[in-house]
Amino acid sequence: MSQMKYGTAFVLLLLFFLGQYCASEGERKETVKEDKSETVSSEDQILERGARIFKTHCVNCHGMDGKMGFNGAKDLTETELTMSQRKLLIANGKETMMAFKNILSSEEITAVARYSATFAEENE
């Protein structure tokens, strides 16, 4: 029986690391086309940065659309958290969600918080 627990834990860890690898591989393959005639707003840049970070650190539990709910992750399309509350939650974690304050900079946490808010906006 304990071998089955270890086997299950191993498979889950393998899937987690495979997901992390695939997310970072996709990020490396992304190319950004720049058109000098069209300027990208700083808000767009923040959201793009937030999306990249979300794909790397959050998609395994929240999913690409924010609705996956793996391991108790909340549905991001239904949250009513303020931006300040989002930043605190990302920085400090809660329950099964890990804290990112020692992994991400405050600017990165802000970018992820702003990107995560787009899920709820799309649901309106």
Side-chain angles (χ1 to χ4, degrees):
M1 181 72 174
S2 67
Q3 285 181 336
M4 190 163 80
K5 287 181 185 177
Y6 289 121
T8 303
F10 176 76
V11 169
L12 288 174
L13 282 172
L14 182 64
L15 288 173
F16 174 78
F17 286 113
L18 181 62
Q20 290 293 325
Y21 175 77
C22 290
S24 64
E25 183 71 20
E27 187 175 313
R28 285 192 292 265
K29 289 182 180 179
E30 278 183 16
T31 57
V32 178
K33 296 179 182 177
E34 291 186 37
D35 181 4
K36 303 230 185 223
S37 65
E38 184 179 323
T39 56
V40 178
S41 74
S42 61
E43 178 66 17
D44 289 340
Q45 291 172 336
I46 291 169
L47 291 176
E48 286 176 19
R49 185 178 189 190
R52 285 192 308 273
I53 296 166
F54 184 89
K55 287 178 187 175
T56 302
H57 295 287
C58 311
V59 76
N60 289 332
C61 294
H62 289 286
M64 289 297 289
D65 61 359
K67 296 180 181 184
M68 189 161 87
F70 180 73
N71 201 24
K74 302 299 181 198
D75 183 342
L76 299 178
T77 64
E78 296 180 0
T79 184
E80 295 181 6
L81 295 175
T82 66
M83 191 57 58
S84 175
Q85 292 169 325
R86 287 174 189 272
K87 290 178 192 178
L88 283 173
L89 184 62
I90 295 165
N92 299 315
K94 185 177 179 182
E95 298 171 7
T96 59
M97 181 177 160
M98 66 179 283
F100 286 94
K101 64 184 169 192
N102 294 325
I103 298 169
L104 302 174
S105 68
S106 61
E107 293 82 13
E108 290 171 322
I109 289 171
T110 297
V112 173
R114 288 172 77 175
Y115 177 73
S116 71
T118 65
F119 293 116
E121 292 168 4
E122 292 172 1
N123 198 33
E124 292 177 350

